[in-house]
Amino acid sequence: MMRLSDSDLRTSILAATNHKMEERENCPDFQSEPVLADRQWSNAQHTEMDKYPTNPETDASKSNGQPPAAIPPQPKAEPAAEISETFTETPETQTGFLPVIKNRNFLALWSGQIFSQLADKVYLVLTIALVASRFQAPDQSISRWVSAIMIAFTIPAVLFGAAAGVYVDRWPKKAVLVATNLLRGGFVLALPLLLWLSDGFEIGKLPLGFCLLLLVTFLVSTLTQFFAPAEQSVIPLIVERRHLLSANSLYTTTMMGSVIIGFAVGEPLLALADTLFTNLGGGIGIGKEIVVGGSYAFAGVLLLLMKTGEKNEPEHEPPHPLADLKDGLRYINDQPKVRNALIQLIILFSIFAALAVLAVRLAEMLPGMKASQFGFLLAAVGVGMAVGATTVGYLGHKFSHSQLSLIGSVGMALALLGLSAFTHHLWISVLFITLLGLFASLVGVPMQTTIQSETPEEMRGKVFGLQNNATNIALSLPLALAGVAETFLGLPAVFLALAGLAIAGGVLTWYIFRSTNSKVDRI
C-alpha cells in the first residue's frame, strides 16, 4: 500500500485552503485585506495550516486508505491581549475593594456619587431651613410647609422614575450623569437670587418665593430621576463582571449611608457654612446654597473624568416611552431572578424607611435619650452597613447570591425581633440596630448585582428606571404608614411585622434562585 508523500499532503492542504478562501470571497462580509480577514476569521494570530486543519483519516480514505504520516504540531501564537478603555484587568487573586478602587473610572463614578447623593439629602434639610427662616410665622406650625416640599420632591419620583430610564437607554450615560449634576447645582445656586427677587410678592395666599422654592425642588427631583438609572447602568460598563459584587458593596453602602449621614450632619453643616460665608461675605447668608449647589457641581466635574467606553452614535429612532416601559415590565416579568431581586430591594427600602420613622419613637422610649437624638440610632445603622459591605466585598465571592440574601434576611429578622424585645435597653437596642444594618448589606448588595448581571445593556435604563420608581414608592409609603401603625399597634408589634416581612423576602429569594438555573448566582 502507498503512503501519502509530502507533496501529496501539501497539495491536499492547499486545496482545502483555496476552497475556504473561495467561500470567503463569495461571502458578502468578506474583507478585502487578507491579513485583516484572516484575523477576523480566526480571532487569533494562527498560521495558515492552523486556521484550516485537515483530517488525516479523511484524506487517507480519499486516497489508498493508508493513514498519512504524522504531521508535527505547529506552534500556536498567543492571542493578542485586548486592552479595554473602560477598565483595567486585575489579577484573579485580588478581591475586596482594592481592585475597584484602583479602577479610575469607578473611582470617578463613586466620588461623584458621594457628593451627589449627599447633596440630595442635605437639599431637603436646606429647604426646611429656608422655610423656617423666610416663610414660617412665629405662631405657625412648620408641618404644612414641609409637607408641600415633600410632595414636590416625591411627585417626580412617582411620575417620571420609570419613564426616565427609557431615555437613559438612548442617551450617553456619562452625558446624563454630568448634565444632571451641573443643572441641579445651577438651580440650587440660583435660589438666593430667586428668593431675593420674589421678596414681597404673593400668588394667592402663598409667597412667590415659596412657590419658586417648590418649583426648584420639583426640577431638582426630576433631574435626580435621570441620574439614578444612568448611574446604575454605568457600573457594569466600567467594572469587570467578577468585581461587580465589590463595586455594588460600595455603591449600595454609599446610597443608603447618604440617607443617614445626610440627615444627621445636614443641619450643623449648613449652619457652619452660613456662619462662615456671613463672616466672609459681609453679612450675606448664602453659605447653605453654596454648599449644596457646589456639591452637585463638584460631582459633575468629577464625573467628567470617567470613561464609559460607550458608542457615541446618535439614536435616530425617537423613543417610545409607553412601548419601552412595556418592554421593561415584560422583561422583569419574564426574568424571575430580576423580579425577585427587585422585590427584595423594595422590602429592604421599606424596612429602612419605616425605621427612620420608628427611630424617633424608639429614642423617646430608651432611657438616657431624647426624641431629637434619633440620629444616633440611625448612625448605628450606617456603622453596621459599612461593616456588612466590607464583609461582602471581601468574602461575598465565596457564597452564592441566594445564600447571602437568605443569611441577610434571617439576620435582619433576628435583629428586628431583638429590637421588639428590648425597646427599653439603650445599648442592647443599639447593638441590634447595628446588626440590622450589617445584615441589610448582605441583602442589598447581591440583589443589586443580580439585576445588573442579568439585565442586558440595552435594557438597563428601563429596568433601573422601574427599580428607581418602585423604591421611591417603597420609601414613601412606610413614611406615612409606620407612624400610624406604631400609634395603634405599639412599637414592638411593628418591629415584629417588619421581621416577618424580612424573612419572607429571604425565603422567596432562596426558593426562586434554587428553582431556576443561572450562572449569575455566584460571581
Side-chain angles (χ1 to χ4, degrees):
M1 299 180 68
M2 297 180 60
R3 298 175 59 88
L4 285 175
S5 64
D6 291 342
S7 59
D8 293 332
L9 181 61
R10 191 179 301 110
T11 302
S12 175
I13 295 173
L14 290 176
T17 303
N18 291 332
H19 177 66
K20 290 286 185 181
M21 294 300 293
E22 288 174 0
E23 289 181 350
R24 289 165 60 190
E25 288 176 354
N26 293 329
C27 179
D29 295 329
F30 174 73
Q31 304 290 331
S32 60
E33 184 179 348
V35 176
L36 181 60
D38 289 341
R39 288 181 179 176
Q40 292 178 344
W41 184 271
S42 63
N43 291 327
Q45 298 174 359
H46 297 296
T47 60
E48 192 73 9
M49 186 176 292
D50 288 328
K51 285 188 291 184
Y52 311 110
T54 57
N55 189 334
E57 295 179 0
T58 303
D59 289 343
S61 64
K62 289 181 180 179
S63 58
N64 296 327
Q66 183 72 17
I71 303 174
Q74 299 292 327
K76 295 184 179 181
E78 294 294 329
E82 297 182 358
I83 302 176
S84 173
E85 295 181 357
T86 58
F87 54 76
T88 305
E89 293 285 346
T90 52
E92 288 288 348
T93 56
Q94 293 188 6
T95 58
F97 295 144
L98 185 59
V100 291
I101 292 297
K102 284 184 176 180
N103 184 333
R104 295 180 181 178
N105 295 311
F106 179 79
L107 188 59
L109 177 67
W110 184 46
S111 302
Q113 178 200 8
I114 291 174
F115 282 94
S116 177
Q117 293 191 349
L118 278 176
D120 273 341
K121 306 310 175 287
V122 178
Y123 175 77
L124 288 176
V125 181
L126 167 64
T127 58
I128 295 172
L130 290 175
V131 166
S133 62
R134 289 177 174 269
F135 307 114
Q136 181 191 9
D139 58 343
Q140 191 180 47
S141 172
I142 198 174
S143 298
R144 69 187 187 99
W145 301 97
V146 174
S147 296
I149 292 291
M150 295 303 296
I151 291 173
F153 201 83
T154 305
I155 286 177
V158 176
L159 294 181
F160 309 132
V166 172
Y167 291 91
V168 166
D169 271 338
R170 298 173 180 268
W171 294 341
K173 311 297 186 295
K174 177 179 176 180
V176 173
L177 293 173
V178 173
T180 52
N181 278 290
L182 294 180
L183 287 172
R184 286 185 292 179
F187 286 135
V188 176
L189 291 173
L191 267 176
L193 178 61
L194 293 175
L195 295 177
W196 177 72
L197 292 174
S198 62
D199 191 22
F201 294 93
E202 292 186 352
I203 297 180
K205 294 183 179 181
L206 286 177
L208 177 59
F210 182 71
C211 295
L212 292 174
L213 180 61
L214 291 179
L215 176 61
V216 169
T217 301
F218 181 88
L219 293 174
V220 167
S221 180
T222 300
L223 290 168
T224 301
Q225 308 317 308
F226 289 87
F227 174 82
E231 182 182 33
Q232 293 163 341
S233 299
V234 160
I235 294 178
L237 296 178
I238 62 177
V239 176
E240 298 176 51
R241 183 182 179 87
R242 59 194 169 97
H243 293 146
L244 276 178
L245 198 64
S246 298
N248 278 296
S249 297
L250 288 174
Y251 169 82
T252 304
T253 304
T254 303
M255 178 178 60
M256 303 184 74
S258 66
V259 177
I260 299 166
I261 297 173
F263 290 134
V265 307
E267 195 277 332
L269 176 64
L270 295 180
L272 176 62
D274 242 3
T275 302
L276 290 176
F277 280 93
T278 298
N279 295 334
L280 294 175
I284 303 177
I286 59 172
K288 298 187 293 293
E289 293 85 349
I290 290 179
V291 167
V292 178
S295 295
Y296 280 130
F298 188 59
V301 172
L302 288 172
L303 291 166
L304 280 172
L305 305 175
M306 180 182 60
K307 295 181 180 179
T308 62
E310 296 177 272
K311 297 178 181 179
N312 293 322
E313 299 177 359
E315 181 69 52
H316 298 291
E317 183 184 358
H320 308 285
L322 291 179
D324 288 348
L325 282 178
K326 289 181 180 177
D327 288 342
L329 289 170
R330 191 180 302 112
Y331 179 81
I332 293 174
N333 184 62
D334 293 340
Q335 299 294 324
K337 287 181 181 287
V338 175
R339 183 176 67 250
N340 175 70
L342 184 58
I343 293 172
Q344 271 283 65
L345 290 176
I346 290 173
I347 292 174
L348 182 63
F349 278 92
S350 298
I351 291 174
F352 271 83
L355 182 65
V357 176
L358 299 175
V360 180
R361 174 59 177 157
L362 182 60
E364 188 178 38
M365 295 174 61
L366 289 172
M369 287 193 72
K370 296 181 294 185
S372 60
Q373 295 176 317
F374 73 97
F376 175 73
L377 300 177
L378 295 181
V381 179
V383 172
M385 290 181 59
V387 175
T390 304
T391 303
V392 174
Y394 281 94
L395 303 177
H397 299 83
K398 297 181 179 180
F399 301 90
S400 67
H401 291 185
S402 55
Q403 289 172 334
L404 287 172
S405 177
L406 183 60
I407 294 171
S409 298
V410 172
M412 288 177 63
L414 292 175
L416 289 165
L417 287 173
L419 280 174
S420 69
F422 295 96
T423 54
H424 292 83
H425 297 77
L426 175 60
W427 293 109
I428 297 179
S429 295
V430 171
L431 173 62
F432 280 121
I433 289 177
T434 305
L435 290 174
L436 179 65
L438 187 154
F439 286 111
S441 294
L442 271 63
V443 176
V445 173
M447 292 300 98
Q448 188 66 50
T449 305
T450 297
I451 295 175
Q452 290 177 345
S453 303
E454 290 277 357
T455 307
E457 182 178 348
E458 64 275 8
M459 293 293 296
R460 284 177 186 150
K462 304 179 186 68
V463 172
F464 290 136
L466 290 167
Q467 177 191 338
N468 187 39
N469 199 1
T471 51
N472 278 318
I473 296 174
L475 285 171
S476 302
L477 291 179
L479 290 175
L481 299 178
V484 177
E486 190 276 329
T487 301
F488 287 98
L489 302 176
L491 192 60
V494 178
F495 279 139
L496 285 174
L498 294 177
L501 188 62
I503 196 67
V507 172
L508 177 66
T509 297
W510 181 85
Y511 173 77
I512 291 181
F513 270 78
R514 290 306 176 194
S515 61
T516 55
N517 235 345
S518 176
K519 62 184 178 182
V520 185
D521 197 30
R522 186 188 296 267
I523 294 181

